[in-house]
């Protein structure tokens, strides 16, 4: 990489057991990335004896978060499998145009072109879901998520969350879609490792 003129490379290891290997070959920890979570259910948190109470506790949790179901007018999202998104028209001129616009608004961003998305979401035995955010039919945002277990809690991990600056109001609709996906998959948390910004 040095021979190709790269000044640095960065990564986001989350498993403690891989960090010593990174440090041994010269990586430096520059900051801790917080993991933000949104509780969706309580089943994974309860001892087995109390799990029959989960539906009641989940209903209370849903009532407390009912304001988050309000979607922003004009914005729509849908839940697509990897196959539907990657093989469809979404990863073509439409996605590339959106990505160019989004990257122009960022100080520092990973180039997530269609080839990268195909590679990044091709892990065998792993489900990835794409939630395109549209305004009047135009792609203005995208979230990518996958079900997993974090600290023994069934979780929907958000790998990416991109919205054009002029459409930040549509974020509520995208979050609502992530909540729906989490409920469909029976997960108790939505989690995203990200900088505070």
């Amino acid at each position: 990489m040095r021979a190709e003129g790269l000044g640095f490379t960065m990564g986001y290891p989350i498993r403690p057991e891989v960090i010593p290997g990174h440090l041994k070959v010269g990586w430096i920890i520059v900051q801790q990335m917080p993991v933000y979570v949104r509780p969706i259910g309580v089943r994974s948190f309860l001892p087995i004896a109390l799990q029959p109470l989960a539906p009641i506790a989940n209903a209370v949790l849903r009532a407390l978060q009912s304001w988050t179901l309000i979607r922003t007018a004009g914005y729509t999202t849908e839940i697509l499998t990897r196959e539907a998104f990657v093989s469809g028209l979404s990863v073509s001129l439409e996605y590339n145009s959106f990505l160019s616009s989004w990257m122009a608004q960022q100080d520092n961003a990973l180039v997530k072109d269609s080839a990268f998305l195909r590679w990044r979401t091709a892990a065998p035995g792993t489900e990835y879901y794409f939630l395109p955010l549209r305004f009047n039919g135009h792609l203005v945002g995208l979230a990518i998520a996958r079900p997993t277990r974090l600290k023994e809690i069934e979780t929907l991990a958000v790998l990416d969350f991109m919205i054009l600056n002029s459409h930040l109001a549509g974020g509520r609709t995208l979050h609502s879609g992530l909540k729906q996906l989490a409920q469909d998959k029976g997960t108790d948390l939505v989690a995203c490792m990200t900088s505070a910004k």
Side-chain angles (χ1 to χ4, degrees), residues 18 92 152 191-192:
V18 304
S92 64
E152 302 306 314
C192 186

Side-chain angles (χ1 to χ4, degrees), residues 49-70:
L50 296 178
Q51 286 186 356
L53 299 175
I56 296 168
N58 289 348
V60 171
L61 189 57
R62 278 193 297 275
L64 292 172
Q65 294 185 13
S66 60
W67 65 273
T68 63
L69 296 176
I70 302 166

Side-chain angles (χ1 to χ4, degrees), residues 82-116:
R82 177 193 183 272
E83 292 72 27
F85 186 85
V86 172
S87 66
L89 293 176
S90 299
V91 183
S92 64
L93 295 177
E94 179 188 41
Y95 176 73
N96 293 333
S97 174
F98 161 74
L99 183 64
S100 294
S101 298
W102 181 80
M103 288 191 66
Q105 299 173 355
Q106 308 306 312
D107 295 330
N108 183 9
L110 178 64
V111 179
K112 296 170 271 198
D113 60 14
S114 55
F116 175 82

